[in-house]
Amino acid sequence: MDFNAVNERICVIRIREKFFNITLISVHAPTNEADENDKDAFYDNLEEIYRKVPDHDAKIVLGDFNAKIGREICFRPVIGIHSLHEESNANGLGVIDFASGKNMTVSSTYFKHKDIHKMTWCSPDGVTRNQIDHLLIDKRHGTDILDVRSYRGADCDTDHYLVKIKYRQRINNMKKFRGVSQKKFDSEKLIKDEELRERDSQKLVEKIERMQGGESVSVEEQWKNIKQVVTESAQETIGYKKQDKRNVWMDDECLKALECGQNENDKSQNKSYYSNFPRETEICQ
C-alpha cells in the first residue's frame, strides 16, 4: 500500500491483509559503542514514525537493533525467557524501554530454540556470535507471531544470518450480539449433581417426544426445533453462569499505603508527628 524510505536507518512499508493492514518498520540501529546523541536521535525518529502509523494496523518493528536482550525477570512480559543472552546491554535496555512505552513485546525472545538458532550475527573472526536482530510487535497482535528463528545456511552475503518469522493473522472469535457477550450455561451443575442430570435428561426426552414433525418438515426446521427444546430445558434446570465480579483493587491495604505516602511528605516538616504513629504503618514505610 505504501513505502517510505525515511533515512539511512529506517524505512516503512504498509501491506494490505485480509482482516487488517500491517505496517512493518525496518530499522538499523547505531552500535552499542556509538555516540549517545546518535542513539537518542534514532529513537526519536522511530517514535515519531510509530506515532504516524494508523491505530488499527498491526505494527511490527524489526531489523538490526545492535542490541543484546537478556532474560531479566523485571522486564517481563515485554521480553521472554528464551533469549541467547543472560543480561541486556545498553542498546538492549533502549529496545526494552521503547517496547514497554509502546505496549509492545520482543517476540524474538519468546520462542524456545537451540542457541545456534537464536544467533543472528557472526563477527568477522568467526568466533563471536550474538543475537542482535529482533522483532517487536504490539501486544494485542502478539499471538500472531508463531515462531522466530535464524537460519545459518542461507547465503545472504552479510555477517548477519537470515531470520525467519512465522506470522498468521488471527481475529477474536468470541461471538457478541450488540456488544453483549453470549451467556453460558452452568454445565458444572450437571457434573456435580446426579439427580439434576437425570431430571434434566427426562425433561429433554419428554419435550422431544412432544415435538411435532413429519415428512413435510425440512431438516433446518427440525434442527431449529431441537435447538429450541434443548435451550429451554437447560434454562429451566441449570440456568446460566453468573459473571464473576472483578476484585476491587482499591482495598484497605492500598488506602494505608496512600496514607503512608502522604505522611512521608510531611515527615521533613514535622518529625515529631511520627513519634505516636500507629505500629502497623511500619510495613508501609
Side-chain angles (χ1 to χ4, degrees):
M1 297 175 63
D2 186 28
F3 174 76
N4 181 19
V6 181
N7 53 41
E8 59 185 6
R9 293 194 176 275
I10 303 174
C11 66
V12 183
I13 186 170
R14 192 166 183 235
I15 303 172
R16 188 188 305 278
E17 284 293 341
K18 182 176 181 180
F19 301 116
F20 39 78
N21 301 325
I22 305 173
T23 296
L24 296 164
I25 304 175
S26 179
V27 302
H28 180 201
T31 61
N32 197 55
E33 292 76 18
D35 186 71
E36 291 297 328
N37 293 329
D38 294 339
K39 295 181 183 180
D40 294 339
F42 168 77
Y43 279 103
D44 289 342
N45 290 334
L46 183 58
E47 288 192 8
E48 183 180 355
I49 293 164
Y50 188 91
R51 284 196 296 268
K52 294 179 180 179
V53 177
D55 294 337
H56 296 291
D57 281 18
K59 307 173 189 68
I60 299 176
V61 184
L62 73 168
D64 181 7
F65 284 91
N66 277 307
K68 295 180 183 179
I69 296 179
R71 308 169 192 165
E72 293 90 346
I73 298 176
C74 57
F75 296 137
R76 298 175 191 168
V78 177
I79 62 174
I81 61 174
H82 298 297
S83 176
L84 179 65
H85 308 286
E86 291 287 342
E87 297 181 356
S88 305
N89 62 2
N91 273 10
L93 296 176
V95 174
I96 294 171
D97 183 59
F98 173 81
S100 60
K102 299 294 179 289
N103 199 25
M104 305 182 81
T105 58
V106 185
S107 295
S108 49
T109 61
Y110 267 80
F111 300 97
K112 186 177 181 180
H113 290 294
K114 295 179 180 179
D115 287 348
I116 57 174
H117 296 148
K118 298 177 184 177
M119 304 168 183
T120 63
W121 174 81
C122 179
S123 62
D125 58 8
V127 177
T128 305
R129 290 178 172 84
N130 295 323
Q131 184 184 20
I132 59 175
D133 297 358
H134 297 284
L135 177 137
L136 284 64
I137 187 170
D138 45 330
K139 283 185 179 179
R140 68 191 181 107
H141 295 293
T143 56
D144 294 352
I145 304 296
L146 303 181
D147 191 29
V148 180
R149 58 157 291 185
S150 61
Y151 288 82
R152 299 175 299 155
D155 185 6
C156 303
D157 193 23
T158 175
D159 53 357
H160 289 257
Y161 298 139
L162 176 68
V163 179
K164 181 179 178 181
I165 300 160
K166 279 187 178 181
Y167 175 83
R168 182 177 66 186
Q169 282 194 348
R170 301 180 183 181
I171 57 174
N172 190 355
N173 61 357
M174 173 182 265
K175 295 181 180 179
K176 292 188 177 182
F177 180 72
R178 293 181 181 178
V180 180
S181 301
Q182 271 192 336
K183 293 181 179 180
K184 295 182 179 180
F185 290 110
D186 195 357
S187 57
E188 293 182 0
K189 290 182 179 179
L190 297 176
I191 301 174
K192 297 177 181 179
D193 193 341
E194 186 176 352
E195 293 182 1
L196 180 66
R197 186 166 62 247
E198 293 179 356
R199 189 165 62 252
D200 179 64
S201 61
Q202 290 176 359
K203 282 187 178 182
L204 186 59
V205 170
E206 292 174 359
K207 288 185 177 183
I208 292 176
E209 289 177 350
R210 289 198 299 268
M211 284 176 54
Q212 294 181 357
E215 296 180 357
S216 60
V217 180
S218 63
V219 176
E220 288 78 9
E221 291 178 352
Q222 290 180 9
W223 164 244
K224 288 181 181 180
N225 293 335
I226 293 173
K227 182 180 178 181
Q228 184 179 358
V229 167
V230 173
T231 303
E232 291 176 355
S233 177
Q235 289 174 347
E236 294 174 2
T237 53
I238 59 176
Y240 293 104
K241 273 186 177 181
K242 293 182 179 179
Q243 292 185 352
D244 296 333
K245 293 183 179 180
R246 293 184 177 180
N247 294 328
V248 180
W249 61 271
M250 180 60 76
D251 53 9
D252 294 338
E253 186 178 355
C254 294
L255 294 174
K256 288 181 181 178
L258 288 173
E259 185 180 356
C260 291
Q262 293 173 356
N263 293 330
E264 190 70 23
N265 294 331
D266 300 334
K267 188 174 181 180
S268 58
Q269 299 177 4
N270 187 8
K271 295 183 179 180
S272 62
Y273 176 82
Y274 277 80
S275 59
N276 297 323
F277 205 71
R279 182 179 178 83
E280 63 188 43
T281 58
E282 293 178 2
I283 300 174
C284 303
Q285 297 173 14

